[in-house]
Amino acid sequence: MSGVRVLVGTRKGAFIMTSDERRERWDISAPLFAGWEIYHLKGSPVDPNRLYASQSSGWFGQLVQRSDDGGRTWEPVGNQFAYDGVPGTHQWYDGTQHPWEFTRVWHLEPSLTDPETVYAGVEDAALFRSADGGQTWHELSALRDVKGHLWQPGAGGMCLHTILLDPADPQRIFVAISAAGAFRSDDGGATWRPINRGLRSQGIPDPDAEVGHCVHRIAMHPSRPDVLFMQKHWDVMRTDDAGESWHEISGDLPSDFGFPIAVHPHEPDTAYVVPITSDSYHFPPDGRLRVYRSRTGGGEWEPLSDGLPQEHCYVNVLRDAMAVDSLEEPGIYFGTTGGQVYGSADAGDSWTPIVRDLPAVLSVEVQTLP
């Protein structure tokens, strides 16, 4: 019987939740790395027992952990994230130039084909790669050559938070940075170019600006890697040509501001978002927590609220806090800043709380187990 393993990072530790394919009853681990901010946990698609975790603390700094037994035991691996050459400067909140400084790892993305290769997206925004299971890290520094001096932090910092590896082309990588935009490499990270044509952002006077867009998250269906869905700081967007051009698909959403976006594992035109009221009010419109689903590739959206609180709910869902499994009847999962993790075993039609009282959830990933 198949099963699922949900990996949850929170403000005060990590949790691993497991269930069989029915997803009715869940085993929830004790907190891992208790007291630490866990920005991201991710498992290798090649070896499901190989897990990586980004452990961060304002007091003790950054630590990357690795498990080779599905999360039962962990060991620290390499933690030297040194920018290549002279780091230089980037734009600061007030428009002045500010030195590039490493703060933390926001996102870990294991290779689709090699369990020893893993990518790390960091703050200040840069992309690193390890070919030895996280023991050593090397920057793919050509990314910062793409007008990096004009990149500027978003409200949460200048973070590389999304890494997508193209399953049809091992040399193609997509990344997204707040608040610089989306970028693509077609040669394994040796060179990069911005892919932000069609994005429109408040505060950027040039409508053709190549960088400076606050992208919150991008998502891809593996059967159609040229089609990407984006949740931006205002606007839900789509590209059908690997980022060469984008068009808006916000349609009838109650708000087009939000953070996560996900794609159904078997229906490449079915996407999910979680709207929040605005960039000032990070809670659901009218205090009603609803996931929205489009079955038409965007534009037309339906609210999914069965089992979710529909009054006095003022939580947020962060950019890395939504995931989908790949079972025949797929499961959708998301966590909130209120510490709830919700799951749906019917593609979003109905929801149940897996757990209610965790610390604020930073990330949710899921593995489908044999």
Side-chain angles (χ1 to χ4, degrees):
M1 178 180 290
S2 299
V4 293
R5 181 192 290 147
V6 178
L7 310 172
V8 179
T10 80
R11 290 282 182 199
K12 293 293 182 179
F15 298 83
I16 297 179
M17 307 173 186
T18 55
S19 183
D20 61 24
E21 64 184 4
R22 291 186 293 269
R23 293 154 294 183
E24 295 172 352
R25 300 181 61 181
W26 293 86
D27 294 323
I28 302 172
S29 74
L32 306 166
F33 324 117
W36 287 71
E37 291 184 318
I38 307 300
Y39 269 69
H40 199 219
L41 279 79
K42 190 71 180 281
S44 166
V46 184
D47 178 1
N49 285 321
R50 169 68 62 88
L51 310 180
Y52 295 93
S54 170
Q55 179 179 342
S56 183
S57 164
W59 292 101
F60 303 112
Q62 167 69 41
L63 193 63
V64 176
Q65 299 267 5
R66 191 184 81 198
S67 174
D68 293 322
D69 55 13
R72 290 188 293 274
T73 62
W74 295 81
E75 63 172 338
V77 286
N79 199 49
Q80 294 298 314
F81 291 90
Y83 296 105
D84 189 32
V86 178
T89 61
H90 62 80
Q91 198 159 270
W92 196 235
Y93 293 99
D94 60 3
T96 63
Q97 287 292 300
H98 185 83
W100 232 280
E101 297 174 318
F102 172 78
T103 303
R104 60 178 60 85
V105 174
W106 275 73
H107 187 93
L108 292 159
E109 191 67 28
S111 164
L112 301 176
T113 57
D114 176 17
E116 297 300 316
T117 298
V118 57
Y119 296 83
V122 311
E123 176 192 351
D124 282 337
L127 181 65
F128 286 79
R129 179 168 57 201
S130 172
D132 54 13
Q135 298 293 348
T136 59
W137 297 92
H138 305 281
E139 187 194 2
L140 300 179
S141 59
L143 174 61
R144 290 191 297 117
D145 292 339
V146 187
K147 299 187 176 181
H149 65 289
L150 296 179
W151 301 0
Q152 184 172 326
M158 195 172 77
C159 54
L160 195 158
H161 51 71
T162 301
I163 305 168
L164 297 178
L165 306 176
D166 188 332
D169 182 353
Q171 294 298 304
R172 177 169 284 184
I173 308 170
F174 299 91
V175 300
I177 297 169
S178 176
F183 302 83
R184 190 182 86 204
S185 173
D186 295 320
D187 52 16
T191 61
W192 295 82
R193 62 190 186 91
I195 51 167
N196 299 305
R197 183 182 178 189
L199 303 185
R200 297 290 181 267
S201 298
Q202 298 175 10
I204 300 179
D206 181 1
D208 298 316
E210 290 188 310
V211 300
H213 302 279
C214 191
V215 176
H216 285 177
R217 185 70 170 166
I218 55 177
M220 166 201 296
H221 192 281
S223 73
R224 207 171 51 173
D226 283 350
V227 177
L228 304 176
F229 295 87
M230 174 189 291
Q231 174 66 67
K232 195 170 67 66
H233 188 114
W234 301 111
D235 304 331
V236 181
M237 308 292 290
R238 171 177 169 160
T239 175
D240 296 321
D241 51 17
E244 298 295 337
S245 61
W246 295 86
H247 59 277
E248 186 176 356
I249 57 169
S250 306
D252 55 2
L253 288 170
S255 166
D256 58 7
F257 189 93
F259 287 95
I261 191 164
V263 183
H264 190 290
H266 313 309
E267 300 172 7
D269 268 329
T270 298
Y272 300 85
V273 295
V274 185
I276 56 177
T277 302
S278 71
D279 51 1
S280 298
Y281 304 128
H282 284 195
F283 54 76
D286 305 318
R288 301 168 62 192
L289 181 58
R290 291 168 288 180
V291 176
Y292 276 74
R293 178 176 63 197
S294 174
R295 295 188 184 275
T296 59
E300 300 172 344
W301 299 87
E302 58 178 321
L304 307 174
S305 60
D306 185 6
L308 299 177
Q310 294 303 292
E311 59 180 1
H312 310 306
C313 182
Y314 300 101
V315 298
N316 192 8
V317 180
L318 301 181
R319 69 182 87 239
D320 247 335
M322 175 177 270
V324 299
D325 68 36
S326 58
L327 292 174
E328 182 176 354
E329 182 70 20
I332 319 294
Y333 310 87
F334 70 91
T336 78
T337 54
Q340 303 86 24
V341 177
Y342 290 96
S344 170
D346 52 17
D349 289 338
S350 62
W351 302 88
T352 57
I354 298 174
V355 62
R356 290 184 181 274
D357 299 312
L358 299 184
V361 175
L362 301 178
S363 66
V364 175
E365 295 286 357
V366 63
Q367 296 175 285
T368 305
L369 304 174

